[in-house]
Amino acid sequence: MRGVLAASLALALVVGALAAGTDGFRAFTTESARRLAVARSPRPLPDVLLEDQRGRRFRLGDLRGRPVLVEFIYTRCTSYCVALGTAFQRMKRTLARDGSPVRLLSISFDPGHDDLARLREYAGRYGARPPRWRVARPVNPGRLPALLQAFGVKVIGDGLGGFTHNAAIMLVDGEGRLSHIYDWDAPGAAVRGARGQVHGGGAGA
Amino acid sequence: MVRHMLVQLPLLLALGLVAARALCRPPRCGGGRWNAAGVPGLILSLGAVAYWMIPRTLDAALDDGVFEAVKFLVLPLAGLILAVSWRRLPAVGRGAVLANLWSMAWVLGWAYSVAPQRICTNYRFDQQAQLGLAFLGLGALASAYLLWRVLRPAGSPQPM
C-alpha cells in the first residue's frame, strides 16, 4: 500500500517537473519556449543605438508607433539568411504595394566585420532602402549581447568561420515590444500579423 | 552534443551508481516499504533522466549556471536511487526497463538524424545529426547484445 502511494507520488512529481519544464508539454525546445513566452506577453527591448546602411544613426525606440518586422543577419551568411533575405524582399514588395506603414529592419550581429560598406552591399543585394527597410548594426558592439538576449537570438560558431543562429522573422509592435515570432519561411504570416497590428491599433492581441 | 548527452549525462548517473556501491550495501538505503519493488525509485530516477534530456533543458544547462549546478546534483542522486531500486526490481521489471531503453535509443537516433530543424539553439545541425548516429549505434549494439543473450543456449557458448 505504501509502495503504491510512493509510486503515485513519484509519478506525480515526475509529471509535474516535466510539465513545469515544458510549459505544460507545449514547448520542448528553447525556440518554441521563446515563441510561446513572447506571444503570451510581449517583451520590452533595450533602446540600442543603431546605424543603417546610409550611416544614419537611430535608436530602436525611434521606430515606435508602427509595427516593425526584424531579422538578425550577418552579411557573409550563405545559408538561412539568404532565404530570410529573400523573405524580407518579398515582404518589402507586398508592404510597398499596399502602402503599409509597416517597417523592416535587418540587424547585423557581426558588427566587427559588417561595416557600413558591407551593410550597403547587403541592402543593395535585396533592394533595401530606408525608411521602408533599414539594414543596420549596433553602434556600440558592447550592447549586442543585451540586444540578442532580449530578442532571444542565440548565435554560435558554425565551425567554418561563420555563424549558426535561430533565424526567424520577429514582429515588434507599435509600442516597441517583441510581440510575435514567425518562421523564417513564413513571410506571408508575418505580414498578416504586422498588418493586423496596424488595423487593430497598438499591440494587438 | 554527443558528449553532453551520451558522455556527460551517463557519467553523472554513473557517479551515483558508484556511490551506491560504496555507501549502500543492501539492505541499507533501499527505501524500505516505501520503495516497494524499487518501482517508486525507478520512476523518480528515470524521470530525472528524461527531464535532463529535454532539448530545452539541455540548452538551459548551457545558458544558465544555476540549471547546470542543479543538473550536477540531481543526476548523481538519480543514479544512486536507480542503483538501490534496481536491486529490488523483479526480473520482469528489469526486462521491461531495458527493452524500453533500447528501443528508445533507436527512436531518438532516428528522430535526431532526420529532424529538419535544429532542436537545440546551442548546437549546430551537424552536431545534432552526429547525436542521431550515435544513438542509432547505441541501439544497434544494445539490440545485438539482447539477441545474443536471448539466442545463446544457456550454459553453452555456441555462436548464433
Side-chain angles (χ1 to χ4, degrees), chain B residues 146-157:
Chain B
L146 178 68
L147 269 178
W148 178 72
R149 281 291 297 267
V150 171
L151 294 181
R152 182 191 56 162
S156 70

Side-chain angles (χ1 to χ4, degrees), chain A residues 39 80 114 119 158 180 190:
Chain A
Y80 279 121
D114 290 340
L119 294 184
D158 69 357
H180 209 99

Side-chain angles (χ1 to χ4, degrees), chain A residues 83-172:
Chain A
L84 195 55
T86 312
F88 266 63
Q89 200 171 24
R90 279 176 51 198
M91 294 197 295
K92 180 200 75 172
R93 285 199 198 111
T94 311
L95 293 170
R97 198 186 56 218
D98 298 354
S100 169
V102 176
R103 297 289 190 240
L104 302 174
L105 174 63
S106 306
I107 304 176
S108 168
F109 54 72
D110 188 19
H113 178 269
D114 290 340
D115 52 20
L116 291 185
R118 292 206 170 89
L119 294 184
R120 251 195 312 278
E121 190 277 325
Y122 181 90
R125 215 186 302 166
Y126 296 104
R129 273 184 297 276
R132 167 78 66 201
W133 184 357
R134 289 191 166 90
V135 179
R137 63 173 192 163
V139 172
N140 175 5
R143 298 282 283 144
L144 192 59
L147 188 64
L148 292 175
Q149 169 122 37
F151 273 99
V153 172
K154 178 89 189 186
V155 179
I156 57 173
D158 69 357
L160 305 163
F163 302 101
T164 294
H165 57 112
N166 43 336
I169 303 171
M170 290 166 279
L171 175 59
V172 175

Side-chain angles (χ1 to χ4, degrees), chain A residues 2-7 9-11 13-14 17-18 20-23 27-31 33 80 154 156-159 164-167 183-184, chain B residues 33-36 39-41 43-48 50-51 54-57 59-60 62-63 116-127:
Chain A
R2 254 192 253 178
V4 175
L5 183 64
L9 284 176
L11 199 60
L13 189 68
V14 166
L18 293 179
T22 57
D23 283 307
F28 287 85
T29 64
T30 311
E31 181 61 15
Y80 279 121
K154 178 89 189 186
I156 57 173
D158 69 357
T164 294
H165 57 112
N166 43 336
D183 284 332
W184 58 270
Chain B
R33 277 196 287 169
W34 285 102
N35 195 10
V39 170
I43 294 173
L44 272 185
S45 50
L46 293 184
Y51 180 83
I54 298 172
R56 192 175 160 184
T57 329
D59 271 332
L62 293 168
D63 293 334
Q117 286 182 333
R118 282 193 313 137
I119 295 168
C120 285
T121 53
N122 280 294
Y123 293 109
R124 298 189 309 263
F125 201 73
D126 59 307
Q127 293 173 315

Side-chain angles (χ1 to χ4, degrees), chain B residues 6-160:
Chain B
L6 289 178
V7 180
Q8 190 198 57
L9 299 189
L11 278 179
L12 286 172
L13 267 184
L15 215 60
L17 300 181
V18 171
R21 270 222 139 120
L23 305 173
C24 295
R25 297 235 161 70
R28 279 182 61 203
C29 50
R33 277 196 287 169
W34 285 102
N35 195 10
V39 170
L42 194 75
I43 294 173
L44 272 185
S45 50
L46 293 184
V49 173
Y51 180 83
W52 291 102
M53 281 175 69
I54 298 172
R56 192 175 160 184
T57 329
L58 288 179
D59 271 332
L62 293 168
D63 293 334
D64 185 340
V66 176
F67 257 86
E68 182 82 331
V70 172
K71 181 177 81 178
F72 273 73
L73 287 176
V74 167
L75 282 178
L77 186 66
L80 190 138
I81 296 175
L82 179 64
V84 299
S85 305
W86 191 255
R87 292 174 191 154
R88 309 177 118 214
L89 196 67
V92 66
R94 293 182 180 190
V97 170
L98 287 178
N100 262 299
L101 289 183
W102 291 341
S103 57
M104 206 42 110
W106 283 106
V107 171
L108 284 178
W110 169 74
Y112 274 100
S113 29
V114 303
Q117 286 182 333
R118 282 193 313 137
I119 295 168
C120 285
T121 53
N122 280 294
Y123 293 109
R124 298 189 309 263
F125 201 73
D126 59 307
Q127 293 173 315
Q128 180 174 309
Q130 259 171 27
L131 178 67
L133 274 183
F135 263 121
L136 287 177
L138 196 66
L141 275 178
S143 305
Y145 174 73
L146 178 68
L147 269 178
W148 178 72
R149 281 291 297 267
V150 171
L151 294 181
R152 182 191 56 162
S156 70
Q158 178 189 319
M160 320 192 290

